[in-house]
Amino acid sequence: MLVKIGKGSVDIDKKIKDILNNKVLLIKITTEKGACTDNLCPLIRKVSYEVNDNYTLDDTHKIYEPVKIEMYREVYESIDKGREKIKIKKGFKGIEIKGISLVGTV
């Protein structure tokens, strides 16, 4: 299932609909400290997700069909600016989100 996101798109695996079971997939950006031992090491940005019962935030981009997806504005803008084709599929440890380069995110 292909969904347009600005100038980019999200390819959603059919199995995701069964995993979500009418819940909302929130795609967000998290940061974690790098492996350096001093304070000069930059933070590492990663895409992560959580599954909620309903849409939880106001300033997000929402997709209602074919599955419910909510994404932070920074994720939407990255997909739009980079004209990326994101893939959301079932993986060994749950849901995998591949192809986001986090262009221009903070």
Side-chain angles (χ1 to χ4, degrees):
M1 301 176 277
L2 196 64
V3 178
K4 291 290 285 177
I5 302 290
K7 297 176 193 125
S9 63
V10 176
D11 186 11
I12 304 167
D13 186 11
K14 293 177 184 178
K15 295 177 184 176
I16 295 298
K17 192 170 189 174
D18 295 333
I19 293 171
L20 291 178
N21 196 21
N22 207 27
K23 293 189 177 187
V24 178
L25 176 68
L26 172 63
I27 303 173
K28 57 186 180 175
I29 299 171
T30 56
T31 57
E32 61 183 41
K33 189 175 181 200
C36 303
T37 57
D38 58 9
N39 290 334
L40 300 175
C41 192
L43 294 174
I44 299 170
R45 293 176 290 145
K46 295 174 35 173
V47 174
S48 63
Y49 72 90
E50 62 184 56
V51 177
N52 299 314
D53 289 330
N54 208 340
Y55 297 101
T56 57
L57 303 171
D58 291 332
D59 190 29
T60 57
H61 181 77
K62 295 171 179 64
I63 299 171
Y64 298 96
E65 292 291 331
V67 294
K68 295 178 183 178
I69 298 176
E70 181 176 25
M71 62 181 69
Y72 280 22
R73 186 68 49 196
E74 295 87 0
V75 175
Y76 170 83
E77 290 171 359
S78 178
I79 295 169
D80 181 37
K81 286 180 188 175
R83 295 176 174 84
E84 297 174 325
K85 184 175 181 182
I86 306 308
K87 293 185 180 186
I88 301 175
K89 63 181 185 171
K90 180 181 178 188
F92 290 116
K93 297 181 180 179
I95 297 172
E96 290 184 0
I97 302 170
K98 299 288 185 181
I100 298 179
S101 64
L102 300 178
V103 175
T105 59
V106 178

